Amino acid sequence: MKTQNPLLLILFACWLNACLEPTPAAMPYAAEREASLAVYGVHPNSAKCGTDVILYGENFEMLPSANFVTFDPWGLEPHTGRIAKVTHAPHSGMVRVTIPKDLPAGNYAISVTARGQSQRCTIPFTIKADG
């Protein structure tokens, strides 16, 4: 009876394992990273009411109405401010919103809810006074 070389069996097992595609269950942290909503910044970082601004981040909804955005007075809880209209969402890394009218001049935090998650931009946005 021939004996099998254990080294060949190990190499075959490694080769077979390398051919298998990983599943999300095998990579729980990667799945969480991909699904996390993030808001990195806004351009411009100050503007008057009624102006369109662009939010940059990750995992926004591509359907504009599926993104909920508010301009919250700096220091208050998320989504306690005025609701902004999302006008354009060309991809999951960018949305364009219109600053709500009649906000007093000052610093605001921009909060976003999309895909069942909420996040806010950590950089204050400045509403400029009209005039």
Side-chain angles (χ1 to χ4, degrees):
M1 181 187 305
K2 287 186 172 179
T3 60
Q4 298 293 333
N5 186 343
L7 183 58
L8 287 177
L9 288 174
I10 291 171
L11 288 174
F12 177 74
C14 289
W15 172 81
L16 185 60
N17 192 35
C19 292
L20 299 175
E21 289 191 30
T23 62
M27 303 181 314
Y29 299 110
E32 288 175 20
R33 249 191 339 265
E34 289 177 18
S36 295
L37 175 66
V39 182
Y40 299 133
V42 58
H43 181 77
N45 62 0
S46 64
K48 293 181 180 181
C49 292
T51 305
D52 282 357
V53 296
I54 297 174
L55 303 179
Y56 295 97
E58 291 181 11
N59 294 305
F60 296 124
E61 289 281 0
M62 291 179 62
L63 178 66
S65 62
N67 297 286
F68 181 71
V69 178
T70 59
F71 281 72
D72 310 315
W74 193 256
L76 294 184
E77 293 294 315
H79 297 305
T80 57
R82 297 277 305 279
I83 299 170
K85 181 179 181 182
V86 180
T87 59
H88 191 59
H91 54 80
S92 65
M94 182 185 108
V95 293
R96 183 173 55 217
V97 303
T98 303
I99 300 171
K101 296 204 180 277
D102 303 323
L103 286 176
N107 288 334
Y108 289 80
I110 300 174
S111 301
V112 179
T113 295
R115 302 178 188 266
Q117 301 174 41
S118 290
Q119 199 59 254
R120 78 184 335 184
C121 186
T122 58
I123 302 166
F125 181 82
T126 304
I127 300 286
K128 295 179 180 179
D130 288 332

